């Protein structure tokens, strides 16, 4: 798909990317936006109770707000009613004035009503210091998203946000690509919608990242358009020279992450939808993701226990078992002989250039 065609496609499908609430739950309410197909980044980091890290979170939000502008309309916090925002402006010191004995929660969304899912969101969950100091504590989470159209019309801005955020937070790991924002008011009723979309788009991220953070202390959940590894994970993956050998620079860009690395796979995120000439066929794994997945096999976690948490008693399917969830983690795995076929497919993809990458490539 040409760049112009991609932008036109994104414009034409904006409305379809907003899905009514409880779409696959017949007895649920449907008078709100339950799910929005987006491009989303997820970053996992440590030490959320430290003042320097909380200041870094605040800086990330202000950088994001400068891009999102008036799109940001609602603030949710655990245990509180949603608050209407003006131009995304948050209460003073929201991120920095917290006690380290209290979890940091802030979920900013762009729905027309507080219940609506939207294309734009910035969410952070930081653990209390005492909880994070436990031997088997999970990681903290920051996620942010934009519309597909925004990424199409601004081909390097999302990468800039992701890399800058990862550096500020000294992220342990992270990824970005196609995902689904669900209504914060009624998440469980919209989990089956996310499940159905994931069956159609193999590269779509599944599940709420903060629910998986406990399983990502020593590895990554998945690869995506953007994938972040800290120094320890990069060394575990074989180091920078090994990745350079596996990931040709015409299709993969590498950026420094405080001696770790952020990897960009291709010009833009891929959905992994069925081929254009076979819309009813199986989803097609993007060649760049399959190759990256193989290169990072040594740092992928074997399980996240359960990808989704659905509605009790629901007949609609979702990733409710460990077995099916772990199969999803392995969705880009192919036998070694097939990997050569994907490398051949990569040669047919558009190459990266300065318009689609950041200037500080490694």
């Amino acid at each position: 798909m040409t760049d112009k065609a991609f932008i036109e496609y994104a414009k034409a499908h904006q409305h379809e990317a907003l899905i009514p609430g409880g779409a696959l739950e017949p007895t649920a309410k449907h008078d709100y936006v339950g799910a929005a197909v987006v491009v989303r980044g997820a970053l996992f980091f440590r030490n959320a109770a430290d003042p320097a890290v909380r200041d870094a979170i605040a800086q990330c939000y202000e950088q994001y707000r400068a891009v999102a502008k008036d799109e940001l309309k609602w603030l949710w916090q655990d245990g509180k009613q949603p608050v209407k925002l003006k131009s995304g402006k948050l209460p003073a010191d929201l991120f920095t004035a917290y006690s380290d004995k209290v979890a940091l929660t802030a979920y900013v969304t762009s729905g027309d009503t507080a219940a609506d899912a939207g294309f734009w969101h910035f969410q952070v969950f930081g653990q209390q210091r005492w909880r994070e100091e436990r031997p088997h504590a999970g990681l903290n989470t920051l996620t942010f998203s934009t519309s597909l159209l925004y990424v199409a019309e601004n081909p390097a801005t999302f990468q800039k946000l992701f890399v800058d955020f990862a550096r500020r937070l000294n992220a342990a790991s992270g990824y970005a690509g196609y995902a689904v924002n669900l209504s914060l008011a009624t998440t469980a009723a919209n989990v089956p919608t996310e499940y159905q979309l994931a069956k159609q788009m193999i590269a779509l991220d599944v599940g709420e990242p903060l629910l998986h953070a406990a399983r990502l202390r020593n590895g990554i959940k998945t690869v995506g358009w953007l994938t972040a590894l800290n120094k320890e994970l990069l060394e575990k993956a074989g180091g920078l020279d090994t990745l350079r050998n596996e990931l040709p620079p015409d299709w993969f860009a590498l950026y420094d992450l405080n001696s770790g690395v952020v990897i960009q796979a291709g010009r833009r995120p891929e959905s992994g939808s069925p081929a254009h000439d076979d819309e009813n066929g199986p989803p097609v794994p993007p060649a760049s993701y399959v190759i990256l997945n193989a290169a990072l096999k040594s740092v992928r976690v074997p399980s996240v226990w359960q990808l989704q948490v659905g509605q009790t008693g629901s007949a609609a399917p979702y990733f409710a078992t460990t077995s099916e969830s772990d199969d999803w983690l392995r969705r880009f795995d192919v036998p070694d002989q097939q990997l050569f076929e994907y490398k051949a497919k990569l040669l047919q993809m558009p190459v990266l250039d300065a318009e689609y990458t950041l200037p500080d490539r490694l």
Side-chain angles (χ1 to χ4, degrees), residues 259-283:
S259 297
V261 68
V262 173
I263 305 164
Q264 177 181 339
R267 289 185 169 188
R268 59 176 71 96
E270 301 280 351
S271 67
S273 298
H276 294 297
D277 58 355
D278 186 13
E279 293 184 357
N280 295 319

Side-chain angles (χ1 to χ4, degrees), residues 137-252:
L139 300 177
N140 308 291
T141 310
L142 184 151
T143 65
F144 68 96
S145 67
T146 74
S147 67
L148 179 61
L149 179 59
Y150 183 84
V151 172
E153 294 181 332
N154 302 272
T157 302
F158 194 99
Q159 298 93 301
K160 174 70 171 169
L161 292 172
F162 187 89
V163 172
D164 284 354
F165 292 4
R167 289 171 176 165
R168 280 197 199 103
L169 298 170
N170 198 26
S173 68
Y175 56 84
Y178 273 78
V180 181
N181 289 342
L182 300 181
S183 165
L184 292 177
T186 50
T187 301
N190 295 288
V191 161
T193 299
E194 181 184 48
Y195 177 87
Q196 185 62 38
L197 290 169
K199 292 298 183 179
Q200 299 169 16
M201 296 185 283
I202 197 170
L204 183 90
D205 184 33
V206 177
E208 173 52 58
L210 71 85
L211 297 179
H212 307 143
R215 305 278 172 165
L216 303 180
R217 292 185 296 270
N218 301 303
I220 64 172
K221 170 186 168 184
T222 186
V223 301
W225 176 42
L226 304 173
T227 305
L229 309 175
N230 67 2
K231 180 181 178 181
E232 291 73 22
L233 291 177
L234 174 58
E235 291 173 350
K236 188 177 177 181
L240 201 57
D241 288 342
T242 297
L243 292 186
R244 288 187 195 277
N245 289 334
E246 297 293 331
L247 308 173
D250 278 349
W251 295 278
F252 296 91

Side-chain angles (χ1 to χ4, degrees), residues 8-292:
E8 292 304 316
Y9 170 87
K11 287 180 178 178
H13 290 79
Q14 278 280 92
H15 180 71
E16 295 175 22
L18 295 173
I19 302 169
L24 298 179
E25 295 282 10
T27 61
K29 294 182 178 180
H30 309 296
D31 58 347
Y32 65 101
V33 178
V37 180
V38 300
V39 179
R40 187 173 71 199
L43 292 164
F44 303 94
F45 61 99
R46 296 182 170 90
N47 304 316
D50 288 0
V53 175
R54 293 192 175 187
D55 186 61
I57 294 169
Q59 292 177 44
C60 290
Y61 180 75
E62 288 306 316
Q63 184 179 352
Y64 178 74
R65 186 165 76 99
V67 171
K69 299 177 182 177
D70 292 338
E71 297 288 351
L72 303 176
K73 300 172 183 174
W74 297 95
L75 168 66
W76 289 73
Q77 292 183 278
D78 290 354
K80 299 181 180 181
Q81 291 297 311
V83 176
K84 181 75 171 176
L85 300 177
K86 183 176 182 181
S87 301
K89 187 173 178 58
L90 297 177
D93 300 328
L94 175 71
F95 298 114
T96 57
Y98 265 76
S99 163
D100 65 2
K101 298 179 176 63
V102 179
L104 172 62
T105 64
Y107 318 119
V108 182
T109 67
S110 65
D112 287 339
T113 71
D116 289 334
F119 294 128
W120 298 80
H121 94 184
F122 183 99
Q123 300 187 13
V124 62
F125 179 84
Q127 301 171 86
Q128 306 95 318
R129 188 183 299 280
W130 65 267
R131 184 179 296 276
E132 193 168 352
E133 287 177 345
R134 296 184 307 175
H136 301 293
L139 300 177
N140 308 291
T141 310
L142 184 151
T143 65
F144 68 96
S145 67
T146 74
S147 67
L148 179 61
L149 179 59
Y150 183 84
V151 172
E153 294 181 332
N154 302 272
T157 302
F158 194 99
Q159 298 93 301
K160 174 70 171 169
L161 292 172
F162 187 89
V163 172
D164 284 354
F165 292 4
R167 289 171 176 165
R168 280 197 199 103
L169 298 170
N170 198 26
S173 68
Y175 56 84
Y178 273 78
V180 181
N181 289 342
L182 300 181
S183 165
L184 292 177
T186 50
T187 301
N190 295 288
V191 161
T193 299
E194 181 184 48
Y195 177 87
Q196 185 62 38
L197 290 169
K199 292 298 183 179
Q200 299 169 16
M201 296 185 283
I202 197 170
L204 183 90
D205 184 33
V206 177
E208 173 52 58
L210 71 85
L211 297 179
H212 307 143
R215 305 278 172 165
L216 303 180
R217 292 185 296 270
N218 301 303
I220 64 172
K221 170 186 168 184
T222 186
V223 301
W225 176 42
L226 304 173
T227 305
L229 309 175
N230 67 2
K231 180 181 178 181
E232 291 73 22
L233 291 177
L234 174 58
E235 291 173 350
K236 188 177 177 181
L240 201 57
D241 288 342
T242 297
L243 292 186
R244 288 187 195 277
N245 289 334
E246 297 293 331
L247 308 173
D250 278 349
W251 295 278
F252 296 91
L254 308 181
Y255 309 105
D256 176 67
L257 171 53
N258 306 336
S259 297
V261 68
V262 173
I263 305 164
Q264 177 181 339
R267 289 185 169 188
R268 59 176 71 96
E270 301 280 351
S271 67
S273 298
H276 294 297
D277 58 355
D278 186 13
E279 293 184 357
N280 295 319
V284 179
S288 56
Y289 292 17
V290 172
I291 293 167
L292 179 58

